[in-house]
Structure formats: C-alpha cells, structure tokens
Amino acid sequence: MDISQIVDRISQKIEAKGHAADKSKIEQKLRRLIEEFGVQPADAERTVLYDIARDFGIQLGNAAGPGDQKLINSVSTEEWVTIEGKIVALGHSPSPSIAYSGIIADASGAIRFVIWSKASVPVIKKDAWYRFESAVVDEFKGALNLKVHSGTTVKELEIDGVLIPVITPLAELTAGVASVRVKMIQEWDVTHDRMLQSGLLGDETGTVKFVTWKDEGMVRLEPGMVYTIYYALVDEFNGRHSLNLNTANILAEEGDIAVSSGASTFQGALVHIAPGSGLIKRCTVEGCNRVLSRQNYCPVHEMQPKFNYDLRIKGWLDDGTHTIDTLMQREVVESLTGMTLEESRELAENNPLGMDEVFLRMREKILGRYLRCEGREIDRRLIVNSCERIHFEPTMLAELLNRTGGEVS
Amino acid sequence: MSTPANGGFPKRENMFEREPARRVFAGELREIREQFRDGTDEKSPSYVLLPTGQRCNRVFLVGSMTEKKRQGEQNMFYRGRIADPTGTFFVAAGSYQPEAMQQMARIEPPAFVAVVGKPSIYETPDGTILVSVRAESVTVVDREVRDCWVLETAKATLDRLDTPSSGPDSVRATEKYHLDPVAYRKMVYHALSQLKF
C-alpha cells in the first residue's frame, strides 16, 4: 500500500470535517508507525486518523465516519467500510480472542467476517441483520475478510428481508464466499479422520472439489442429486478452487443439471510417453487399485502376488505453444494403438522383454503423432475420454498458401 | 519472462511447467546464433533465440532421416541428418538420451521420423557455427505426419512473423538478427508448395 494514498484518504476525511489537514505531518506519523514499528497500514491509518480527529475534537465513528457504506461485492482489501447485511453463517470461535466468525451477506454477495473479543458488540444471532460500521477489509489466501474490531460499531437492524443469494457459475468462482447450484458427481475417499465427505460437484460451466468436515448437523450429499448450496467458503490453492460446505445451507432440489464434462479438447503432437505407460499391474486389495511396481509391490499393501492387468498411457501433448499432461485409460489406449488388453497381456507373457515390449510397441505406434484428445481436466491433467488421430487437411494448406502472399510476395 | 498464459489451463505459480516443443523449419533453426539461460542456477533451462523472436528450449520436428552415423567408442552416440523442405536438421543422441539412442539404432534411413529434442549451438575449432538438436526421442512416422508437421510449422512461423510480441525476446531478436520477413515468407511458401492437395 502506497503511503501517499493513505495520506490522501486521511486528509480528505479531516478536510471533510472542515479542518485543515497537514499532509506532511500525517505522512510522518504514518511512516513512523509503518516503517519503524511495523504496524499494518490499515491499523496505522486508523491510529493516525483517530489521533488527528481527537486533536481537532472531531467525532468519528458515526454515520459520516471512516468507511463509506458499501455493497459487499464492491469492497476491496485494506479498506474501511460500513456494510449492512444478514448473518448467514455463524461458526465456532476458534480462539478466545475471536468472539464470532461467520458470513454476512447482502443482496450483492457475501463475505467472511471475524469479530474480535475486544470489540464491544451485541450478541450476534444467525439470520438477523446487522450494520457493521467502520470495519476493515483484509485479504487472506486470496479471500476477502471483514474484521470487526474495537473501533467498529455493530448495530442490529430491524430488517426481516428475504435475501436472494446470487448464484455463481462454477467457472466464475473466486476465493471468498459463494452460492452455487450443482450436481454431486463423484464421491471421493475421505483422507482425514475429521473429514465427513469429499468429492466433485459440477454445473453447466465446470466442476469443483468440495469438502465437508465432521461437525454437528453436517449432512452428506448423495451422488447424482442436485443441490443449491448457499454461502459455501471458496478456498483457493495453487490456482484451483475448492468449496468448504461447513458454513453452507444446503438445499436438495428436484431436476437435473447437464454437467459440463469439463470438456477440454486439446490437439497437438504426442511428444513424450512417460514411464508407467503401457501394460500395468494393479493392486487387487478392495478399493486400492494402485499400480504395482515391477516387483509386484503396492505402495500401501506391499507385496501382492495377485494383480489385475490394465492399460494406460501417460503422456505430454504439445501444440507448440502449450504442453499438457494427459492420461489415457484402457478403452482409449486400445482404440488408439489397436492393441487390446488381452493381446498386450499375451505379448508380455510370451516375450523376453515382458511388459516393456508392450510399452515399446505402443510408443512406436503413437509417439510423435498428431492427436486430438477430448476429456476432463483435473489437477492440470487431461483425463482423456476419446482421442483420434489428426489427418492432413488440404483446406488448411490452401489457407496457409494464401497467407504467405504467394511466391513473389 | 514471457511464457504465454497457458490457454484455458490456469498457470500455477512455482509449479513445474514443461517447456513446449516449438515448431521451427530447418531454414530458421540453422540461423540461430543466440543461446542463453533463464536464471543462474545450474538447472535453469537453457534457450536458443529464434530469429522470429521467440525463445525455444525444445523443438518438435518431422522430416526424412537421410543419413545416420554411429560415432565414438567409449561415449558412443548417433548422429543423423534430417531433411525438411527448407534444409537439414542435425540430430544427435548419446548415452544421456538412451531412449532416442535405442530408437536411432533401429532406424534404417531413409525414413520419415518425428524428433523431440533440445536445440543448441556449437562452434567448431575452425569457427563454423553448427546448430544441433539433442534428441529426446526419434520415432519412425509416415508421410501424413510429415505433411501435418509442415502445415503446422508453416502456420507457427507465419504467426511469429505476423504477430511479433513486444516482449524482451522479440526486442533482443531484432537486435541480434537481420530478419528478412520476405525471405521467410518465401521459405514458408516453398515448404507448403511441396505438399499435395
């Protein structure tokens, strides 16, 4: 944050009260706090503003105080704001220094909030409307957060309005809070004791991972069902979003959604086939299905004398500008290479090179070839549903010849 | 620096990103004179600068292998000449490229081959500059793949000529090379005119 911007903001507020603001003095105070004492800019701004206001005997913190009244979707980080909204979720306080945490929403959107114990606030109830005056917006992991501190005035409002949440298409999710209308498409194994459920949700525009942590009143979603999920937390990690449903109101719905297959189509040359492609052995322990190493060793279940054969190809598809990791499963591999699982197994069992022979033959058949792959992109890898070879297109030749401008350009 | 935004696939910070294999005609590749590393780390990727203004760490090329030679005793490696409609690529595969070396051992020229590899510049003791591609893989393909490659490479070359980026690579290429766009368009035309409708 540029200090001069803060100086401008403070001096405007002072001048709005009919007093002359000494910018250099404001800047000096700010610098001292921020640079010498490592105070966060938002805190420093507040301290300096209140300091000066006290000097002039100005009353801040009333309706004309710092922070314009804003709609929730228009606030930005390190801003002082006043908002009015409905408490749509109220969580357990994770620490004694926090009195409440939850989500407040208005017609434009919703935002997480934290009320510090030091702030003097009335009892906060879910589904009631409140006015947060002079709260501070900050950003954590890409998501905006409203901080209610000792300088914030919180008032309960006599509103009994029905709030219609804005439904966000999955493709347009950003970190923060969102309401979505989705179909539950996959249930995944839970990876943690405290996890109730995790899986994949989809709508017409895309898919998103979700997680629900074990807690009172939390429900599991049924695969294949459609839900409207109000006010879920949207987390962002490595550019991918995931929904945390613990704060959400979940409403099962009738009907169906034509979930986008996440349909990505990518075409290019297959420039690399990774080890572990071709004929593979999978662990037979129920629910495992992991690939066994050469010595029939499962990373979880150790030595496995029994196994199932499978075919897959892991490779990089490259169009000269981008290159993406692709994973082709058995059906795709069979149709692309013309080698069935049964033939591959026989080949491996009757050949001195064993499974390597299958890898080598497949490589000779498809490496360096132009392919068009259609599938779903998960975790930056294209899970290929169908794949075809690209053929020479005379129309493209004509087009390019024209583009060169001909022989005598 | 100017890795293009990953079309449709969100780019993640600090994640390994595989270098795309550029499509370059032999006629352009042999004019490369600039080679640099992005960063000072031993493992920083090394690039050559294409005369059309793009950095290039890897190439994908398809042509006819006209000649193959085994060289060296202890450090045995294969060298191959691969022709496209605009000139010749020199491709090498040594013991650090076992996949490509084993593939080359089995290829009987002449044959259409698809090569993925890393280009670099060498200077011979007499001062001649050679551009060679260290192959990661060399696979025998058919004529149709070659024809598709010529189309695709023609398009990529025209794209680089027609929409020069204003990035630092482009500026650097303008300083280092005396690119004649007309000659390049002729080269592309010539390559395309060898294909049949």
Side-chain angles (χ1 to χ4, degrees):
Chain A
M1 163 68 60
D2 188 359
I3 289 184
S4 68
Q5 282 177 24
I6 308 180
V7 173
D8 287 345
R9 234 178 4 238
I10 296 177
S11 51
Q12 274 165 21
K13 281 169 187 162
I14 299 300
E15 280 160 6
K17 290 280 178 183
H19 294 273
D22 180 350
K23 285 198 178 187
S24 67
K25 201 170 148 197
I26 296 173
E27 181 171 342
Q28 202 185 349
K29 286 187 175 195
L30 280 170
R31 285 198 186 281
R32 192 168 143 79
L33 287 171
I34 296 170
E35 288 165 10
E36 278 181 53
F37 292 93
V39 176
Q40 289 301 306
D43 272 343
E45 175 172 357
R46 180 181 166 276
T47 309
V48 172
L49 179 63
Y50 276 73
D51 256 16
I52 298 174
R54 203 170 37 239
D55 289 349
F56 285 123
I58 306 172
Q59 272 293 322
L60 292 170
N62 50 28
D68 302 328
Q69 183 161 342
K70 289 204 164 187
L71 289 174
I72 287 174
N73 71 347
S74 64
V75 304
S76 50
T77 184
E78 290 186 32
E79 193 178 38
W80 288 66
V81 294
T82 295
I83 59 145
E84 289 183 358
K86 181 180 177 182
I87 307 292
V88 295
L90 206 53
H92 302 298
S93 156
S95 131
S97 59
I98 291 174
Y100 297 98
S101 69
I103 297 172
I104 185 164
D106 66 13
S108 73
I111 188 169
R112 301 182 208 199
F113 69 84
V114 167
I115 301 181
W116 300 107
S117 302
K118 279 200 280 182
S120 52
V121 296
V123 175
I124 301 287
K125 291 170 301 218
K126 188 166 179 275
D127 296 328
W129 287 71
Y130 292 88
R131 176 182 173 86
F132 289 179
E133 215 164 83
S134 307
V136 177
V137 184
D138 72 359
E139 193 183 315
F140 181 62
K141 286 197 202 159
L144 294 178
N145 225 303
L146 204 59
K147 292 280 189 301
V148 173
H149 48 86
S150 51
T152 309
T153 319
V154 175
K155 265 188 282 196
E156 187 171 350
L157 302 174
E158 294 293 317
I159 301 177
D160 193 15
V162 176
L163 201 56
I164 300 165
V166 187
I167 301 288
T168 309
L170 294 184
E172 291 165 27
L173 285 180
T174 52
V177 178
S179 302
V180 295
R181 185 170 179 275
V182 290
K183 181 173 175 178
M184 158 90 169
I185 47 181
Q186 269 175 30
E187 176 157 14
W188 296 346
D189 294 338
V190 296
T191 52
H192 196 283
D193 290 346
R194 287 185 45 234
M195 200 183 269
L196 177 70
Q197 194 181 26
S198 79
L200 200 65
L201 304 172
D203 71 3
E204 294 83 350
T205 66
T207 56
V208 67
K209 183 177 121 171
F210 80 93
V211 59
T212 310
W213 299 96
K214 282 182 185 163
D215 202 351
E216 222 177 292
M218 290 299 132
V219 291
R220 300 170 62 88
L221 306 185
E222 291 290 321
M225 288 286 291
V226 173
Y227 297 92
T228 300
I229 298 174
Y230 296 111
Y231 307 117
L233 296 181
V234 187
D235 294 315
E236 184 180 324
F237 180 66
N238 274 348
R240 272 181 307 135
H241 293 109
S242 66
L243 293 184
N244 176 335
L245 303 191
N246 280 63
T247 58
N249 291 321
I250 300 171
L251 214 67
E253 287 203 16
E254 301 283 311
D256 199 6
I257 295 180
V259 172
S260 149
S261 55
S264 296
T265 303
F266 192 87
Q267 60 181 60
L270 188 66
V271 293
H272 180 68
I273 299 179
S277 298
L279 187 66
I280 52 168
K281 298 170 182 171
R282 292 191 181 276
C283 179
T284 53
V285 174
E286 199 182 331
C288 176
N289 215 29
R290 284 182 178 79
V291 177
L292 303 181
S293 75
R294 244 161 225 286
Q295 292 77 32
N296 294 351
Y297 188 86
C298 169
V300 175
H301 304 103
E302 311 202 330
M303 296 305 287
Q304 291 292 316
K306 284 207 266 176
F307 49 80
N308 296 324
Y309 276 117
D310 196 5
L311 293 177
R312 72 165 178 194
I313 284 174
K314 298 194 291 178
W316 290 92
L317 205 57
D318 184 312
D319 70 359
T321 326
H322 306 116
T323 174
I324 67 159
D325 198 359
T326 56
L327 177 65
M328 300 177 197
Q329 280 155 331
R330 182 168 60 87
E331 291 80 3
V332 177
V333 175
E334 286 180 334
S335 79
L336 194 61
T337 60
M339 294 166 70
T340 63
L341 176 60
E342 193 50 30
E343 287 162 7
S344 303
R345 188 186 58 79
E346 265 173 43
L347 185 65
E349 284 172 354
N350 299 314
N351 197 287
L353 286 180
M355 306 201 321
D356 284 351
E357 182 67 20
V358 177
F359 177 87
L360 294 175
R361 289 205 192 181
M362 287 190 172
R363 187 181 70 185
E364 296 312 308
K365 282 171 191 278
I366 60 173
L367 187 62
R369 306 317 200 271
Y370 285 99
L371 305 175
R372 183 180 291 114
C373 288
E374 185 269 313
R376 182 199 292 277
E377 196 221 341
I378 294 173
D379 247 358
R380 288 205 27 172
R381 169 179 275 180
L382 188 70
I383 312 296
V384 180
N385 290 328
S386 69
C387 182
E388 54 175 8
R389 287 173 198 249
I390 297 176
H391 296 287
F392 180 72
E393 284 177 45
T395 50
M396 195 175 155
L397 174 56
E399 211 172 280
L400 287 167
L401 278 168
N402 286 336
R403 244 184 99 184
T404 60
E407 198 165 12
V408 289
S409 62
Chain B
M1 282 210 272
S2 62
T3 325
N6 209 344
F9 295 92
K11 183 185 158 80
R12 281 196 231 158
E13 300 284 323
N14 306 324
M15 281 272 308
F16 166 73
E17 198 136 344
R18 187 182 159 102
E19 289 284 344
R22 304 295 180 188
R23 317 303 203 239
V24 186
F25 281 124
E28 177 169 6
L29 201 76
R30 74 164 168 241
E31 292 189 13
I32 288 170
R33 293 296 177 268
E34 283 293 299
Q35 189 163 241
F36 62 97
R37 255 178 209 288
D38 188 13
T40 50
D41 204 294
E42 197 186 322
K43 291 201 174 131
S44 316
S46 117
Y47 298 89
V48 296
L49 185 63
L50 300 178
T52 45
Q54 189 170 51
R55 64 176 56 198
C56 165
N57 165 269
R58 180 180 273 128
V59 288
F60 175 65
L61 59 95
V62 183
S64 15
M65 184 180 282
T66 53
E67 199 184 313
K68 158 184 109 169
K69 247 195 251 165
R70 212 179 95 162
Q71 286 185 333
E73 284 300 319
Q74 262 158 353
N75 297 311
M76 202 265 283
F77 67 102
Y78 278 96
R79 220 178 243 300
R81 286 174 70 100
I82 295 168
D84 82 353
T86 68
T88 305
F89 295 105
F90 296 94
V91 171
S95 50
Y96 288 107
Q97 297 83 34
E99 182 179 358
M101 200 167 83
Q102 287 160 20
Q103 287 176 300
M104 277 185 77
R106 283 201 299 268
I107 297 173
E108 278 309 316
F112 284 117
V113 291
V115 177
V116 179
K118 305 220 172 192
S120 52
I121 308 170
Y122 298 97
E123 196 170 342
T124 61
D126 63 8
T128 316
I129 289 182
L130 286 178
V131 180
S132 162
V133 175
R134 200 148 273 268
E136 294 172 336
S137 70
V138 183
T139 317
V140 175
V141 296
D142 59 16
R143 173 180 282 274
E144 189 178 22
V145 175
R146 201 285 305 255
D147 291 352
C148 285
W149 179 81
V150 172
L151 281 187
E152 197 194 21
T153 306
K155 180 172 182 302
T157 308
L158 289 174
D159 285 348
R160 291 195 295 267
L161 286 171
D162 291 345
T163 49
S165 79
S166 52
D169 292 340
S170 191
V171 172
R172 192 154 159 191
T174 317
E175 284 167 12
K176 299 288 179 184
Y177 300 109
H178 303 285
L179 176 80
D180 176 2
V182 177
Y184 270 72
R185 301 188 95 83
K186 270 189 185 156
M187 171 184 82
V188 174
Y189 176 85
H190 178 72
L192 289 170
S193 61
Q194 298 194 5
L195 302 179
K196 292 185 192 78
F197 278 97

